[in-house]
Every structure is written in C-alpha cells, then in structure tokens.
Amino acid sequence: MINSLQKGLEKIDIFGQTITLNMNKNANYTTSFGGFSSILIICLLSIIFFSNISDFFSRENVFYDTQTTFSNDPHEMVMNDSNAMFALSIDQSNFTTNPFFNISVEQRIYTRSLDGSLNKTTIQIPLQPCMLDRFNNVVLNQGIDLDFNDEFNYLGMNKWLCPAQNYKFQLEGTYSSEIFKFIKIVVTGCKNNSNSSYWNPKCADELQKNNYLKSEGQFKLQVFQINTMINPQQARNYKTMYLDSDMYFSFVPYKLARLANVYYRQYLVNNDQSLLPYQDIKTEEVIIRKAEDFRDLTELGRDTDNNFATLYLRRSPFTEIINRNYQKVGDLLSYLGGFMQILKVIFGFFIAFYNRTSMLIELSNKLYDFKEVTNRSFLRKVALSQKTEQRGSIPDEISNKLQNLQNTDLEKAEWKQFIDKLLERSQPIRLNIKILINQMSCGYFFNNNNSEFFTKAMLKINSELDLHNILHQLQEITKLKSVLLQKPQIILFNFTPKPIITLGQDHTVPTRLEVAEDLNKQSYIKASANQLNEELFASLQEAYKMVTEEMEDSPNINPCQRTINFKLTKQIDSELGKLLKNVRLSSYKINESNNNNEIQEDHT
Ligand SMILES: *[C@@H]1O[C@H](CO)[C@@H](O)[C@H](O)[C@H]1NC(C)=O
Ligand SMILES: *[C@@H]1O[C@H](CO)[C@@H](O)[C@H](O)[C@H]1NC(C)=O
C-alpha cells in the first residue's frame, strides 16, 4: 500500500533529474568563448532594457481597465469644500451687491416609507460671495498642482455666489429609491428684507432689469464648477481639474422657464501601487460631471411662477470603476525573458556551434593521437636517431647507476623527455577560425590536415557514441566473461564486492589519462604537475619491472600468464616501452647488444 503510494508519488514528481553524461566533471560543456558571449549578450540586454528597467522602477508603464456599473439605487456621494466648488450668478454687473434675482440652493431629502408615503425634507444651503482661496483649496486637497488665480480674477468671480463655508451637497439614489437626496438650485425674485449673516444685497430696481432685458432679450443663470478629468493611462497626474464653465440657462420671468437635471458620476479609481505580484490597492473617489449627463427642459412661463429657473443636481445611476496597475515585476521578467530567449536563439546558434566543435575537438584530442601516414617513417627515423644518441651515453650512465642505484635524477629526466615527446608526437587538432569555417561550410573551405583529422575523429566519436555501439560493447564484455570463465567462476565473479569509497587519500590505479591531464595543466601549474609525474612514473616503472620479471623467471609462472605479459609489453607504447626498458637496463645490467636488437625489432 505504502509502496504503491510511493510509486505513484514518484511518477508525478516534476523535478525529475535528467540523466546525462559528464565531460570534464561537468554536465555542461562550457567554453570561455561561450562565457564571454554570455557576458556580451547580458550587457547588450542590459543596454536594451535599461529604459524598461528604469521605467519599471519609476512606474512609467501603466495598465488599466474600465468598467461602468449601473444601479437604480446609487449610493451616497458627498460634495464639500475638499472636493468640489460651485459658483453661481445671474449675468449682470454687480450681482452680489444689486442682484436682479435671488438664487438659492436647497438640499432635498425624500424618504419613502414602506406604506408609500413620501417624507420630504428641505435644508437651505446659504450662499456667500466667492473667495479665491476656496477654489485653490480644492485642488490643493486633491493633490493637484494648479491654481485658479487668473481665471478667478478675469471672470470677476468675487462677484459670484458660492455655497457658504463647510457646505455639504449630498447626492444619493433616484426618485424611486428609498432615500433620494439631491440639490435644487432655484432662481426667484429678489427681496430686500433678507436678514442673513452671509449675503444681504440691495435688489436692483425694475428699471435696471427692464433695460437689461431690452438689450439682451433674456436673463441668464450661470453655473461654474470645478470639474475633474481622468486619464488613467498616464503614469503621473492622471487626474486633472479645471474650471468648467459651460453650464448656463437663459430664462425670461413669466414667459420662459427653465428646468434642468445635471447628473454627477462617481468614479472609483483603484490604484494598485505594488510592483510585486501581490496587490496594494488604494482607492480614490472622484465626482465627475460628464458633458452628456445633462437633461434640460424649457417651458412657457406662467403668471403665477415663483421659480424662474430650476436646476437639479443629482446622482447619476452610473458608477465608473477604473483599475490601474503598474507594470509588475513578473511582467517585466517575462518580457525580458522572452527577449533573452530570442537573442539566445539568434546568437546562440553560432555559440552552440562553436561549443560543440570545441567539445568534439577536446574529446578527439583526449581519445586519439593523430599521425600523418606519409610522415610516419620520417618521424620514426628521427626518434630512432635520438634514441641511439641517448643509448650512446648509456654505458656511462650505467656505471653511474651501478655506483648509486637509488639515484633517480636520470630517470626523472628521461620521464620528462618522454612527456615532451608525447606532446610533440601527438599533433592535437587545433581549434581555430579555419576549422570553424571549414565545419560551417561543410568542408568546402580550408580543407587541410587539421580539418580532415577532425572530420575523421568526429565520425569515429559519433559512431562510438552510438547507443547501439555502447550496448554492443557491453554485451561483448559479458560474452568475454563467459568465454574466459566457467559458470561457477562467473557466479563468484558476480559476487565480488562493490568498490569502496573511503575518506582520506584514495589509492587509484594510475592511467594514461592522468598524464594527458598533467600535460594540459603543466603550462600553469608546473611544480605540482612535475611532482605528480614522478609518482606516476615510479609506479609505472614498478609495474613494468614486475611484469618483465615474471616473463623472465619462467619456470614457476603459468604459460597463460606469460603470454599475457608478453602481449602487454608489446602493446605498450613503443617509446614508453623503450624508456622503461632503458631504466630497467640501467638498474639490472642486462646485456646491451641484446637490448639493441630488441629495439631494432620494435622499429621495423
Ligand atoms: C433668497 O431666498 C432665500 C430662500 O428663499 C431667502 O432665505 C433669502 O432671504 C433670499 N434672499 C434675497 C436677497 O432675496
Ligand atoms: C436681523 O437679524 C439681527 C440679528 O441677527 C436682528 O437683530 C435684526 O432685528 C434682524 N432684522 C430683521 C429685519 O429681521
């Protein structure tokens, strides 16, 4: 049960590790050129995206959506000194001191009871001559850098009436709502006996009114207000305020009456301040009169009229919701990531090609030695002549050795020579621009030895790397086991212990690969490489000594073992063999001519 649960869990693990082969103890083959290109691409990206990133941090990129909701019973909206200001007047000179008409503002509250009766409440909102400060305070309160000084002065707004200080306009619901609140502005006749602490004008006389009517043909009620405009796509100052002066209503008492409804919409601006994936919403409420939210009616006046013009300010049933948010870190990263992918595809093509070529060359150099067939005999001759020269001096060395068998200086020197020769002899494939062009042109350009070696080595590697080939080789090992061993032996073989990993110094069996690695390192860490070489050489020498001893002390050795030893010494690198033999010679005083013959044999 638990087992099957575990199996099921294992199946849905999304972090499963891909199983890959390693090269140079690394799952990825990387080159310094690739690293350099990566830095270059990152720099390029940084330059290209610098503006994006700086825009991101300075919150320049804004995304928004808008939505309009409708409600038959829109909730309350309050206008006051901090968010709205109105100015009212009759078009005439000296309105505040000698008005033709009286303007009054009422807050109306209709409450509908369950039995259908309607309870009407009227609250007078006193008016007083306007002051510039009150207009400027509104924009100040809304955090907008603006003032109305010029407009106020040239429109002569100190001769207009504004709602008295600390006024409150409440707008809520519609006529059919349970609670219906609206503002009623009415133009009535002027009365001189008013006794108010706000506005106590002396009414203009009939003559003045008639003169005005004669020249203008009608009277005019003017309404100015501070209105707001929203540009949600703007990163900063998305809210602007302006003096809205396009509302006026003409009327002629007892002849032409005006009645108008003006609707105000509530705007809810949800600003997501956060740049991170979570939301940090600050909601701002703005009251806006849109140009179309206006309904007006002109009627014939009657002799009984008290109200010459009536204006209702009402809550619009529409509410606008604007959701704004800045570009988030996730958006930015996916944007950068997408661009980076594209750059990687464009530039990566060449870099990947370079890395692959470089990897194959390194692999080829590690796996194979390269030799031109035509030059072979020549190289051999050179090697031979060198050998004979060396050999010429051997007798002296032998005598030295005889005196001090422990003197290893000579051996060291010879070992070094061997290493040098190894370097000189295996002409490694060199990675250069020619070979890259050759590879890219499918062998058309720069077809030289270097590239031919490489092509051949690549074919060989690719065929050896074939899964089919690898499995075949493994099968062959099994077959070999069954050829060499009998069944009981195989069973015993199969039960040999696993290799053990211990802490501390590992005792590994030395291999040729270590020499190759040393060769690569030698250029920059010479000292340690030399030391390692000596150890390696010592163990190699020891091994050779034992194998050849076994070959010579024939009587008590089994013939099969002897054959293997013989084959091994044959297989070993001819020059390395000679070197080892020489060392052995020097220490065991074996007949030199005999040795000479053997070497001759080797070379033919
Ligand atoms: C204007 O009308 C209001 C309300 O009816 C009244 O209180 C006020 O005294 C009037 N003012 C003038 C100057 O007629
Ligand atoms: C006007 O009001 C003041 C006090 O506010 C009062 O003393 C005065 O008598 C009033 N005048 C009239 C005409 O009502």
Side-chain angles (χ1 to χ4, degrees), residues 102 104 124 189-191 194 199 201:
N102 182 15
S104 60
Q124 281 289 334
C190 178
K191 289 192 193 97
S194 74
W199 185 44

Side-chain angles (χ1 to χ4, degrees), residues 239-297:
K239 198 171 73 177
T240 44
M241 284 187 151
Y242 62 100
L243 196 66
D244 185 345
S245 57
D246 74 347
M247 271 205 287
Y248 61 90
F249 309 91
S250 49
F251 62 95
V252 182
Y254 313 113
K255 292 199 173 117
L256 195 72
R258 281 303 279 275
L259 193 136
N261 287 294
V262 179
Y263 297 88
Y264 289 85
R265 287 191 194 198
Q266 175 91 69
Y267 275 67
L268 295 174
V269 187
N270 298 319
N271 286 305
D272 186 354
Q273 299 288 328
S274 155
L275 297 180
L276 299 173
Y278 68 87
Q279 292 193 323
D280 172 20
I281 292 179
K282 286 205 177 80
T283 300
E284 193 168 12
E285 297 183 1
V286 184
I287 299 167
I288 293 180
R289 182 181 75 82
K290 292 185 91 172
E292 68 261 29
D293 287 343
F294 178 82
R295 215 174 299 146
D296 113 275
L297 196 70

Side-chain angles (χ1 to χ4, degrees), residues 22-133:
N22 283 0
M23 170 127 181
N24 294 343
K25 293 169 186 148
N26 237 319
N28 288 323
Y29 182 82
T30 50
T31 59
S32 50
F33 173 71
F36 177 73
S37 312
S38 307
I39 291 174
L40 218 65
I41 287 180
I42 289 168
C43 287
L44 194 70
L45 274 177
S46 313
I47 292 166
I48 292 174
F49 290 126
F50 179 74
S51 68
N52 283 80
I53 291 167
S54 74
D55 279 0
F56 168 74
F57 281 111
S58 58
R59 299 164 192 242
E60 293 293 344
N61 298 330
V62 181
F63 303 103
Y64 74 95
D65 58 78
T66 61
Q67 179 186 348
T68 307
T69 59
F70 175 87
S71 164
N72 250 327
D73 187 15
H75 64 84
E76 189 186 41
M77 210 160 75
V78 177
M79 296 188 194
N80 55 33
D81 278 297
S82 69
N83 64 6
M85 186 52 65
F86 290 83
L88 309 165
S89 86
I90 302 293
D91 179 34
Q92 64 164 100
S93 53
N94 298 329
F95 168 68
T96 43
T97 48
N98 303 104
F100 293 161
F101 299 98
N102 182 15
I103 301 176
S104 60
V105 176
E106 293 165 5
Q107 170 76 60
R108 292 291 183 105
I109 299 173
Y110 292 0
T111 317
R112 212 176 272 279
S113 321
L114 283 176
D115 60 7
S117 63
L118 194 61
N119 179 23
K120 298 182 179 180
T121 318
T122 304
I123 303 163
Q124 281 289 334
I125 293 173
L127 297 177
Q128 69 177 61
C130 293
M131 284 174 290
L132 173 63
D133 282 357

Side-chain angles (χ1 to χ4, degrees), residues 537-549:
F537 183 59
S539 48
L540 179 60
Q541 202 185 328
E542 184 72 17
Y544 189 80
K545 200 166 92 184
M546 280 170 79
V547 169
T548 41
E549 261 172 18

